[in-house]
Amino acid sequence: MGKTYSIAIDGPAGAGKSTIAKALAKELGFCYVDTGAIYRTVAYFLDLLGVSPKDADGVERYLDELTIGIEYDEEGKQHMIMNGMDVSGEIRTQDISQKASLVSAYPIVREMLLDMQRDVARKNNVIMDGRDIGTVVLPKADVKIFLTASVEVRAKRRYDELIEKGQKAELSQIQKEIEQRDYQDTHRPIAPLKMAKDSVKLDTSDLDIAGVLAEMKRIIGEKIPV
Ligand code: DC
């Protein structure tokens, strides 16, 4: 197999990673891998079984019964398959966001998902987003970008997204949940959210989508021939 390129995008919840990565993947003809969706699928599976994300024994006991598939449709949209069932819609709730953050702290969960993520990157040109892509999953990624924004801006973006989808939302509650997730994701002992040493930091607080995209393309263009 020839050389494949990897672009790693990490950052806290609501920094705009998936919106930007999706658009870039389309433009560059790369495969977009949303790794948060994989952790969400684990959380959703355990939730269906009534296992609390804080119940370490329960998580360990039931993990064996979970098979996760990642599929892509003709439009390049990622679908999460949980034991044969497409759960791509079900995993997108605030409740599952919180639970995914908790289950992602277990080493056994991270280990189970590591090869799956690396395997996609071995076979395809990828733009992969998450929390530990540049530090752990793809430490040799050709481009590493750390996308961030103030917590107020991130909360407002999440709020707008949920309202647009017709879901109920309260801004102050969302900000609280984001702060809690930031804390959990940055303080866990295994693969915490942090900027890789060779990562380029991009604060998107004062940028619109077009502005972020332009800046990202400039950063990427300096590292790989696109
Ligand atoms: O990106 P997201 O909001 O869909 O991610 C949900 C949770 O999954 C996040 O709070 C922490 C966890 N996660 C992780 O630990 N490592 C990743 N690479 C991606 C997500």
Side-chain angles (χ1 to χ4, degrees), residues 3-213:
K3 157 88 182 152
T4 55
Y5 290 104
S6 304
I7 301 171
I9 304 180
D10 289 302
K17 300 187 298 294
S18 66
T19 307
I20 297 301
K22 231 180 269 174
L24 277 173
K26 202 167 195 177
E27 205 164 308
L28 304 177
F30 277 33
C31 176
Y32 167 53
V33 187
D34 168 3
T35 64
I38 316 177
Y39 289 94
R40 285 168 181 269
T41 303
V42 176
Y44 182 64
F45 169 75
L46 293 166
D47 198 45
L48 280 184
L49 290 174
V51 176
S52 159
K54 293 187 175 164
D55 172 7
D57 290 341
V59 171
E60 183 162 2
R61 183 154 359 110
Y62 288 104
L63 218 49
D64 272 357
E65 292 177 25
L66 168 63
T67 307
I68 297 182
I70 307 181
E71 290 179 5
Y72 291 90
D73 64 22
E74 316 82 64
E75 276 143 38
K77 187 169 175 282
Q78 177 178 321
H79 290 259
M80 292 312 305
I81 315 296
M82 177 197 83
N83 291 349
M85 216 167 57
D86 191 328
V87 294
S88 312
E90 287 81 348
I91 60 175
R92 298 278 153 210
T93 64
Q94 283 297 101
D95 181 48
I96 294 300
S97 303
Q98 284 305 118
K99 288 175 172 157
S101 172
L102 290 170
V103 300
S104 70
Y106 292 108
I108 188 175
V109 171
R110 303 205 74 83
E111 217 162 277
M112 169 183 167
L113 305 181
L114 193 57
D115 280 346
M116 183 187 303
Q117 298 169 73
R118 287 186 176 153
D119 203 46
V120 189
R122 237 188 321 267
K123 296 174 184 155
N124 306 276
N125 292 322
V126 293
I127 297 191
M128 193 176 279
D129 81 9
R131 305 290 187 285
D132 63 335
I133 310 306
T135 49
V136 176
V137 180
L138 305 175
K140 294 197 175 134
D142 301 282
V143 187
K144 296 183 187 179
I145 299 170
F146 194 85
L147 264 195
T148 188
S150 73
V151 70
E152 291 81 11
V153 168
R154 290 187 283 125
K156 178 68 167 62
R157 286 180 186 158
R158 240 328 114 85
Y159 172 83
D160 290 344
E161 214 175 271
L162 291 170
I163 295 296
E164 196 163 307
K165 277 196 226 156
Q167 291 186 28
K168 266 226 224 97
E170 200 193 306
L171 187 58
S172 61
Q173 179 62 22
I174 291 176
Q175 182 164 332
K176 223 188 285 165
E177 285 176 5
I178 285 189
E179 280 165 354
Q180 192 182 341
R181 259 208 302 155
D182 283 355
Y183 185 86
Q184 285 164 191
D185 295 346
T186 49
H187 287 80
R188 64 178 178 228
I190 311 266
L193 167 64
K194 73 168 183 231
M195 199 175 128
K197 276 198 226 80
D198 49 350
S199 188
V200 178
K201 186 171 177 178
L202 182 56
D203 189 323
T204 70
S205 302
D206 299 321
L207 294 171
D208 59 9
I209 292 177
V212 180
L213 271 176

